């Protein structure tokens, strides 16, 4: 049976394209590209003549089944690429790979560029465990909630992608939620003007604010959460009735013993405990 190939492409430097990736794109019957104009430049550079069609987030659901049919019934080998990096990692492809798996089509992944992994490798932060979040929400309130979830995660190293227009707002939000975080913000990875900003969140924010080209290029942010905090469980207000019922049913107290215990423990006054005990007694008797 024909196969689906997931082929990474360079995130900036064309020399990062692997020989196997080039061979696969040449030998496949069809290439699916996020932006055909962008990918055509890559194909021209490596003299790849394979037919190219669009496959992006706006048509992946409608186009996936027809692509699967071409693999199943027309025995075509198909390659999936994205504009830069590895498909399915904050880029289109998941729907197609899922359906391919469901139809027992072999999916072959090739080694290649991934901005998240490159950033982790140069961040100088603990990479024994990490969580990849992709792009966080744009709306400020939703962004803050997402960062709070990151703060509560016991895995302290996190990776996010961000656009140049929003990188300052992201770091400012991190400063509010995780003021002691350590960051490495990577800009234009593998490209001519590659840069990275490392340090505490305030220092990194200051460096970005003073960087002349801060709103150009793409960003990967690697952070280490020094503000880890367990998520607080919501308080449960049991009430006097519940406490009395628990003492009677679970601890086998008599009604009188339960009342006396509540008063001694300072949970309620004698009058409050007695009144509640009568209501609990009435409730229990209704089932007898």
């Amino acid at each position: 049976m024909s196969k689906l190939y997931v082929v990474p492409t360079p995130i900036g430097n064309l020399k990062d394209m692997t020989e196997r990736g080039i061979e696969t794109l040449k030998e496949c019957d069809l290439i699916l590209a996020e932006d055909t104009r962008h990918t055509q430049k890559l194909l021209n550079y490596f003299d790849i003549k394979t037919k190219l069609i669009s496959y992006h987030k706006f048509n992946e659901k409608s186009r996936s089944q027809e692509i699967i049919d071409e693999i199943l019934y027309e025995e075509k080998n198909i390659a999936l690429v994205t504009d830069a990096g590895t498909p399915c990692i904050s880029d289109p492809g998941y729907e197609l790979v899922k359906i391919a798996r469901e139809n027992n089509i072999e999916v072959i992944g090739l080694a290649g560029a991934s901005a998240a992994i490159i950033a982790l490798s140069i961040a100088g932060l603990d990479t024994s465990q990490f969580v990849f979040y992709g792009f966080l929400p744009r709306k400020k309130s939703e962004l803050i909630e997402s960062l709070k979830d990151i703060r509560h995660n016991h895995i302290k190293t996190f990776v996010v992608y961000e656009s140049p227009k929003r990188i300052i707002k992201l770091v400012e939000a991190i400063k509010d939620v995780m003021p002691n975080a350590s960051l490495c913000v990577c800009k234009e990875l593998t490209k001519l003007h590659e840069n990275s900003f490392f340090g505490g969140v305030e220092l990194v924010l200051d460096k970005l604010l003073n960087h002349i080209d801060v709103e150009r290029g793409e960003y990967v942010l690697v952070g280490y959460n020094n503000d880890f905090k367990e998520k607080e469980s919501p308080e449960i207000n049991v009430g006097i009735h519940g406490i009395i019922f628990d003492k009677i049913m679970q601890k086998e107290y008599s009604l009188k013993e339960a009342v006396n215990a509540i008063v001694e423990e300072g949970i309620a006054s004698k009058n409050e405990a007695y009144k509640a005990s009568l209501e609990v007694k009435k409730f229990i008797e209704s089932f007898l």
Side-chain angles (χ1 to χ4, degrees):
M1 183 186 290
S2 298
K3 300 177 178 64
L4 172 65
Y5 292 86
V6 179
V7 183
T9 56
I11 62 174
N13 192 323
L14 290 176
K15 292 181 180 179
D16 289 335
M17 190 70 186
T18 67
E19 288 187 21
R20 187 183 176 206
I22 296 169
E23 289 175 2
T24 300
L25 294 182
K26 285 183 175 180
E27 293 171 2
C28 278
D29 301 296
L30 183 66
I31 298 172
L32 312 177
E34 187 178 5
D35 184 334
T36 55
R37 295 166 300 179
H38 183 92
T39 301
Q40 189 61 60
K41 296 176 183 178
L42 177 75
L43 302 190
N44 292 341
Y45 185 86
F46 292 107
D47 194 30
I48 298 170
K49 306 296 184 182
T50 308
K51 182 181 177 181
L52 185 67
I53 66 169
S54 66
Y55 182 85
H56 46 71
K57 65 179 181 180
F58 300 110
N59 71 0
E60 63 176 327
K61 287 189 176 180
S62 61
R63 178 154 272 184
S64 290
Q65 190 56 57
E66 70 180 64
I67 293 165
I68 294 300
D69 289 343
E70 290 192 54
I71 297 174
L72 289 173
Y73 307 118
E74 298 182 32
E75 298 186 351
K76 289 184 178 180
N77 286 306
I78 293 180
L80 171 67
V81 301
T82 185
D83 286 350
T86 303
C88 303
I89 310 300
S90 286
D91 278 319
Y94 156 74
E95 292 285 345
L96 180 60
V97 172
K98 178 176 179 288
I99 299 173
R101 290 292 186 191
E102 291 170 347
N103 284 273
N104 296 315
I105 294 170
E106 188 173 1
V107 181
I108 306 294
L110 276 64
S114 170
I117 299 302
I118 295 172
L120 279 163
S121 72
I122 66 171
L125 300 172
D126 183 8
T127 58
S128 57
Q129 290 184 306
F130 63 89
V131 182
F132 174 69
Y133 291 94
F135 287 93
L136 297 180
R138 296 186 181 189
K139 190 175 179 181
K140 185 174 181 179
S141 60
E142 294 175 358
L143 172 61
I144 294 298
E145 287 305 308
S146 293
L147 290 172
K148 287 180 180 178
D149 288 339
I150 293 173
R151 186 184 66 191
H152 294 315
N153 196 324
H154 71 278
I155 299 176
K156 297 184 179 182
T157 300
F158 59 95
V159 186
V160 298
Y161 288 162
E162 191 53 279
S163 73
K165 298 292 184 182
R166 297 194 299 273
I167 187 63
I168 296 295
K169 290 182 179 179
L170 171 61
V171 178
E172 287 176 338
I174 292 173
K175 179 183 174 183
D176 291 339
V177 178
M178 293 176 278
N180 298 305
S182 299
L183 303 180
C184 182
V185 178
C186 303
K187 177 180 185 289
E188 295 281 76
L189 286 170
T190 79
K191 299 179 182 179
L192 182 62
H193 300 293
E194 176 178 345
N195 208 336
S196 59
F197 309 90
F198 176 83
V201 62
E202 287 196 31
L203 177 61
V204 169
L205 179 58
D206 184 64
K207 289 180 179 179
L208 288 170
L209 288 170
N210 287 284
H211 183 61
I212 191 169
D213 289 325
V214 68
E215 291 193 352
R216 292 184 182 178
E218 298 299 323
Y219 286 87
V220 184
L221 183 149
V222 182
Y224 186 82
N225 173 21
N226 293 303
D227 296 278
F228 171 68
K229 184 179 180 182
E230 291 281 3
K231 203 164 190 176
E232 296 178 1
S233 300
E235 288 187 12
I236 299 174
N237 186 6
V238 176
I240 302 173
H241 298 80
I243 296 172
I244 292 174
F245 192 81
D246 178 70
K247 289 184 182 298
I248 294 171
M249 302 303 294
Q250 300 296 326
K251 298 181 181 179
E252 298 183 350
Y253 282 31
S254 68
L255 193 59
K256 184 177 180 180
E257 288 172 337
V259 170
N260 290 337
I262 287 175
V263 174
E264 289 174 6
E265 292 168 13
I267 295 173
S269 68
K270 189 172 183 178
N271 286 338
E272 290 172 331
Y274 179 71
K275 182 180 178 182
S277 72
L278 294 178
E279 292 169 349
V280 170
K281 181 182 179 181
K282 185 178 179 180
F283 175 78
I284 293 173
E285 288 176 345
S286 68
F287 288 92
L288 298 177

